[in-house]
């Protein structure tokens, strides 16, 4: 062989070496795909995916698919936060956070840190079907540490009613063509439904929705707040308000078939809503959330992340004007695939809009805003007030992880020419309100908003010399060279809380109300001028400063901190708006 021949082979111009390399790459791709499918099938035999359940429970699946339960593991903010906490504690925090967000993954021993792109499909479904319907024991308040019953789709499930209707379906083969084993033809179905009374009780929700750290710190108290509430005394349950007809109100339940086997519905019964609306919202690619059976079969998560939604792929406007030479990822090189992908995304956007409306419903049922009251409009003063009230007596608002829930008033006063003479609740360039955690306030570039009305609770930590200060993440670590979570040495019941940290709660107790009063500086006012007042009550799932605090851990899906911050702010909701006009006397 001449040098020239050798050069041709090495440069790819020949056939021998190039074909060998390409062949090995294809074999490796096939091997990895096969291994992934085998792993998927293996876990499906232990913990079936929600996509499997969707076959006979399409209604429940559609509600769940866009729920906060379904988003629990996919959230890049949560993932970065739990990784940050473990970084700060030399991993001694362990699976404390993720075991509630991903019970399947923790039951099979998955890594705490691996990307969702590499997790098993059932694992990344978060609080999926089997997370509730494969629990057979009443664990109580244990911060999410519970075992799931293993078994394939034919294995028993646990529900509130038991299995009478299931038995009828199995004994009516002429009406319902089902398979009771993998060797039989027909639609695969679980062959037994066992009654589990705990599913209907608030204590089942308290398993994950009361979170006490192992040093005694009460991180979340949604269930504890409920137990002390007037709603609990009336006998209303968490399920009554959060699984009924209306999100956030005990409004009764829908009535209909619990399953549709083939095209044949089962007998009507009480139906619970599985949307579980709340303050969180998705900030990730719509191709991977909501969960979607068709989307999962069409492309992988990694491939969906390559689909450029904003550019308009799969729309006539884009495809009719795409320039020659435009480079698409291999997965989306076919125009037919792009159109099919866009069709799936249209369904995703419809579901996301339903979730947005449900989120507004539950938040508007939880928070109320009064009309504006003019306290003083004399020549030297313009004072006014507004009341923010709890709309529920079932628990405090906000509840749960209330130290990272941003509920605030945005107040603007303008003169007759449209000039702003007063503002509170505005945002800094990062998207934060001007509180003590705003980086712009901290750096002295903006003034502290002393009039800010916010219901966000704050973590407060004790300093070595006895003082206290607010902290974004209250990680109670030792001052040793090797940081670790240090449990309290004395019973926290003696003090009522851990001595090293506490939470300064700002939320409204059930049925409570709080008044926000504002005074426009006299130097900004003119007698005889007409002023317009606008007050907005705004809900945002987390403050931007949390993103700054956890960005060192990196974010899943290759998302940037700035990109996440923009989506968080864009997703915030105006719950109520009140306006008033007043002439200064």
């Amino acid at each position: 062989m001449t040098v020239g021949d050798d050069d041709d082979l090495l440069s790819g111009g020949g056939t021998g070496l190039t074909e060998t390399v390409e062949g090995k790459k294809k074999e490796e791709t096939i091997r990895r795909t096969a291994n992934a499918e085998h792993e998927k099938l293996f876990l499906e035999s232990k913990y079936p995916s929600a996509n499997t359940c969707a076959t006979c429970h399409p209604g429940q699946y559609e509600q769940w698919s866009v729920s906060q339960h379904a988003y629990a593991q996919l959230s890049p903010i949560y993932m970065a936060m739990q990784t940050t906490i473990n970084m700060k504690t030399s991993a001694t925090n362990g699976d404390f956070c993720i075991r509630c967000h991903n019970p399947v993954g923790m039951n099979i021993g998955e890594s705490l840190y691996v990307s969702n792109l590499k997790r098993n499909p059932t694992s990344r479904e978060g609080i999926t079907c089997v997370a509730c319907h494969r629990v057979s024991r009443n664990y109580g308040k244990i911060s999410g540490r519970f075992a799931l019953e293993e078994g394939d789709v034919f294995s028993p499930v646990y529900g509130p009613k038991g299995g009478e209707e299931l038995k009828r379906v199995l004994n009516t083969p002429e009406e319902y063509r089902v398979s009771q084993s993998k060797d039989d033809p027909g639609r695969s179905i679980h062959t037994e439904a066992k009654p589990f009374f705990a599913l209907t009780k608030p204590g089942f929700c308290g398993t994950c929705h009361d979170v006490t750290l192992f040093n005694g710190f009460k991180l979340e108290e949604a269930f504890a707040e409920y137990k002390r509430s007037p709603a609990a005394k009336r006998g209303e349950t968490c399920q009554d308000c959060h699984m009924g007809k209306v999100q956030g109100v005990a409004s009764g339940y829908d009535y209909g078939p619990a399953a549709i086997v083939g095209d044949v519905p089962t007998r009507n019964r009480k139906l619970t809503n599985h949307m579980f609306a709340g303050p969180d919202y998705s900030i990730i690619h719509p191709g991977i959330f909501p969960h979607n059976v068709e989307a999962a079969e069409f492309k992988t998560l990694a491939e969906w992340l390559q689909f450029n939604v904003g550019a308009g792929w799969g729309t006539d406007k884009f495809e009719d004007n795409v320039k020659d030479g435009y480079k698409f990822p291999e997965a989306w090189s076919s125009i037919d695939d792009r159109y099919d992908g866009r069709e799936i995304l249209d369904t995703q956007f419809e579901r996301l809009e339903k979730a947005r409306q449900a989120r507004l419903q539950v938040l508007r049922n939880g928070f109320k805003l009064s009309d504006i009251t003019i306290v003083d409009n004399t020549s030297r003063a313009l004072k006014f007030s507004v009341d923010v009230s709890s709309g529920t007596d079932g628990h405090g608002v906000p509840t749960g992880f209330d130290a990272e829930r941003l509920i605030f008033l945005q107040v603007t006063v303008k003169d007759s020419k449209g000039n702003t003479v007063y503002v509170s609740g505005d945002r800094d360039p990062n998207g934060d309100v001007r509180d003590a955690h705003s980086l712009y306030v901290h750096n002295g570039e903006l003034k502290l908003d002393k009039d800010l009305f916010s219901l966000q609770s704050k973590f407060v930590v004790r300093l070595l010399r006895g003082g206290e200060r607010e902290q974004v993440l209250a990680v109670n670590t030792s001052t040793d060279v090797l940081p670790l979570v240090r449990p309290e040495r004395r019973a926290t019941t003696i003090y009522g809380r851990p001595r090293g940290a506490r939470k300064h709660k700002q939320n409204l107790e059930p049925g409570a109300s709080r008044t926000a009063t504002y005074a426009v500086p006299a130097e900004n006012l003119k007698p005889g001028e007409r002023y317009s007042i606008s007050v907005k009550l705004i809900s945002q799932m987390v403050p931007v400063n949390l993103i700054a605090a956890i960005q060192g851990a990196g974010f899943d899906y290759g998302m940037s901190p700035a990109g996440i911050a923009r989506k968080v702010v864009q997703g915030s909701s105006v719950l109520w708006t009140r306006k008033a006009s007043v002439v200064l006397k």
Side-chain angles (χ1 to χ4, degrees):
M1 179 181 293
T2 66
V3 174
D5 293 332
D6 194 32
D7 286 344
D8 285 340
L9 288 173
L10 293 174
S11 65
T15 56
L17 183 58
T18 301
E19 290 180 353
T20 301
V21 173
E22 290 180 353
K24 288 183 177 179
K25 286 183 178 179
K26 288 181 180 179
E27 289 178 4
E28 178 65 14
T29 301
I30 292 171
R31 184 186 65 78
R32 288 180 179 177
T33 302
N35 287 344
E37 290 302 313
H38 289 156
E39 184 180 351
K40 179 179 177 180
L41 290 172
F42 173 73
L43 190 59
E44 184 73 12
S45 69
K46 299 174 69 175
Y47 302 116
S49 164
N51 290 356
T52 301
C53 305
T55 304
C56 294
H57 301 283
Q60 291 90 334
Y61 177 87
E62 183 174 336
Q63 293 167 350
W64 166 85
S65 69
V66 75
S67 70
Q68 297 200 356
H69 278 177
Y71 187 63
Q73 174 57 35
L74 291 177
S75 168
I77 295 177
Y78 136 75
M79 282 287 286
M81 187 168 72
Q82 72 105 13
T83 300
T84 298
I85 293 172
N86 272 312
M87 288 168 61
K88 290 179 177 291
T89 62
S90 298
T92 55
N93 195 63
D95 68 347
F96 189 86
C97 299
I98 195 172
R99 70 191 189 213
C100 267
H101 287 249
N102 184 358
V104 170
M106 294 305 98
N107 270 267
I108 63 175
E110 268 188 347
S111 167
L112 307 180
Y113 314 109
V114 67
S115 166
N116 283 309
L117 302 182
K118 297 181 180 180
R119 291 187 185 276
N120 186 278
T122 310
S123 162
R124 60 180 176 241
E125 288 172 357
I127 315 302
T128 186
C129 307
V130 295
C132 293
H133 293 286
R134 282 284 181 83
V135 178
S136 61
R137 285 168 284 177
N138 192 10
Y139 286 94
K141 292 168 58 175
I142 55 164
S143 295
R145 174 69 73 201
F146 55 89
L148 304 178
E149 295 291 330
E150 295 183 5
D152 59 17
V153 68
F154 303 103
S155 300
V157 294
Y158 297 82
K161 289 288 186 180
E164 290 302 316
E165 178 62 4
L166 175 61
K167 290 178 182 177
R168 186 186 72 82
V169 170
L170 296 175
N171 293 327
T172 318
E174 67 279 2
E175 187 175 7
Y176 301 97
R177 299 182 63 183
V178 297
S179 168
Q180 300 185 46
S181 77
K182 61 183 178 181
D183 298 322
D184 297 334
R187 184 169 283 100
S188 300
I189 188 173
H190 42 78
T191 55
E192 187 177 5
K194 297 182 178 181
F196 184 48
F197 79 96
L199 272 175
T200 67
K201 304 297 181 182
F204 189 78
C205 308
T207 302
C208 281
H209 289 280
D210 243 20
V211 181
T212 302
L213 308 186
F214 42 83
N215 64 353
F217 190 102
K218 294 181 179 180
L219 185 68
E220 298 186 29
E221 300 179 88
F223 179 65
E225 291 172 356
Y226 160 77
K227 290 292 286 184
R228 301 189 297 264
S229 73
K233 292 179 181 178
R234 291 195 303 272
E236 290 178 2
T237 66
C238 308
Q239 292 86 340
D240 289 337
C241 283
H242 295 285
M243 297 187 76
K245 292 180 180 180
V246 180
Q247 296 287 311
V249 175
S251 53
Y253 296 88
D254 286 321
Y255 197 70
I260 299 176
V261 185
D263 293 324
V264 185
T266 57
R267 289 173 177 170
N268 289 346
R269 50 160 283 183
K270 182 182 86 171
L271 294 180
T272 49
N273 190 312
H274 286 68
M275 186 171 282
F276 300 106
D280 274 320
Y281 40 89
S282 175
I283 60 170
I284 61 179
H285 195 289
I288 63 178
F289 187 84
H291 294 278
N292 185 309
V293 176
E294 188 178 358
E297 292 175 347
F298 188 53
K299 300 289 181 181
T300 67
L301 266 63
E303 289 170 338
W304 274 114
L305 290 176
Q306 297 174 337
F307 190 99
N308 194 329
V309 181
W313 290 8
T315 63
D316 290 340
K317 182 178 179 180
F318 173 85
E319 301 297 348
D320 290 345
N321 297 283
V322 63
K323 296 180 180 179
D324 292 338
Y326 190 103
K327 292 186 177 181
F328 294 96
E330 183 178 352
W332 300 104
S333 58
S334 166
I335 187 172
D336 291 335
D337 278 3
R338 297 197 295 275
Y339 269 109
D340 289 344
R342 177 60 64 169
E343 188 174 347
I344 291 173
L345 291 181
D346 288 341
T347 299
Q348 297 290 77
F349 291 133
E350 290 176 5
R351 291 181 179 177
L352 287 169
E353 176 58 23
K354 287 182 182 178
R356 190 185 72 85
Q357 293 296 334
R359 182 168 65 254
L360 282 175
Q361 187 178 74
V362 71
L363 290 172
R364 285 173 175 168
N365 283 327
F367 298 92
K368 302 299 180 183
L369 184 64
S370 73
D371 290 332
I372 299 170
T373 299
I374 304 301
V375 178
D376 189 355
N377 64 327
T378 58
S379 59
R380 293 186 178 182
L382 175 53
K383 295 182 180 179
F384 56 93
S385 66
V386 65
D387 296 333
V388 179
S389 305
S390 166
T392 178
D393 62 1
H395 51 69
V397 290
T399 190
F401 199 19
D402 51 13
E404 298 297 352
R405 299 298 185 205
L406 189 58
I407 307 288
F408 67 101
L409 289 178
Q410 186 180 87
V411 180
T412 307
V413 180
K414 295 184 178 182
D415 62 20
S416 58
K417 295 180 180 179
N419 299 313
T420 300
V421 298
Y422 175 84
V423 65
S424 175
D426 55 320
R427 299 176 184 271
D428 67 18
N430 281 337
D432 273 318
V433 293
R434 291 182 289 117
D435 63 6
H437 294 295
S438 161
L439 296 180
Y440 281 81
V441 171
H442 182 269
N443 295 338
E445 299 175 55
L446 290 175
K447 290 183 178 180
L448 179 70
D449 186 355
K450 295 182 179 180
D451 294 339
L452 176 66
F453 179 95
S454 174
L455 297 178
Q456 180 191 354
S457 297
K458 298 294 178 68
F459 293 128
V460 179
V461 295
R462 183 179 180 184
L463 305 178
L464 291 176
R465 300 197 178 195
E468 290 185 324
R469 73 174 179 88
E470 291 182 2
Q471 187 170 318
V472 176
L473 285 179
V475 180
N476 183 29
T477 61
S478 72
T479 55
D480 198 278
V481 175
L482 180 65
L484 65 146
V485 175
R486 184 178 292 280
E488 287 289 323
R489 291 176 294 178
R490 302 178 185 178
T492 56
T493 52
I494 298 174
Y495 304 95
R497 60 175 177 84
R499 292 176 299 161
R502 63 184 177 89
K503 186 167 65 174
H504 185 194
K505 297 194 74 169
Q506 295 288 346
N507 64 348
L508 296 171
E509 295 181 352
S513 180
R514 197 172 299 161
T515 301
T517 302
Y518 301 91
V520 180
E523 59 268 23
N524 295 347
L525 300 172
K526 295 180 182 179
E529 179 68 76
R530 178 176 292 277
Y531 293 96
S532 60
I533 304 171
S534 171
V535 179
K536 297 179 180 179
L537 182 62
I538 298 176
S539 170
Q540 185 172 301
M541 64 176 179
V542 296
V544 171
N545 56 66
L546 173 64
I547 299 165
I550 62 178
Q551 63 183 344
F555 295 99
D556 209 355
Y557 322 114
M559 299 182 74
S560 70
I564 287 178
R566 283 193 294 269
K567 288 179 177 292
V568 166
V569 173
Q570 290 168 3
S572 63
S573 301
V574 177
L575 305 185
W576 303 108
T577 299
R578 298 290 181 262
K579 294 182 181 293
S581 179
V582 59
V583 175
L584 207 63
K585 297 178 181 178

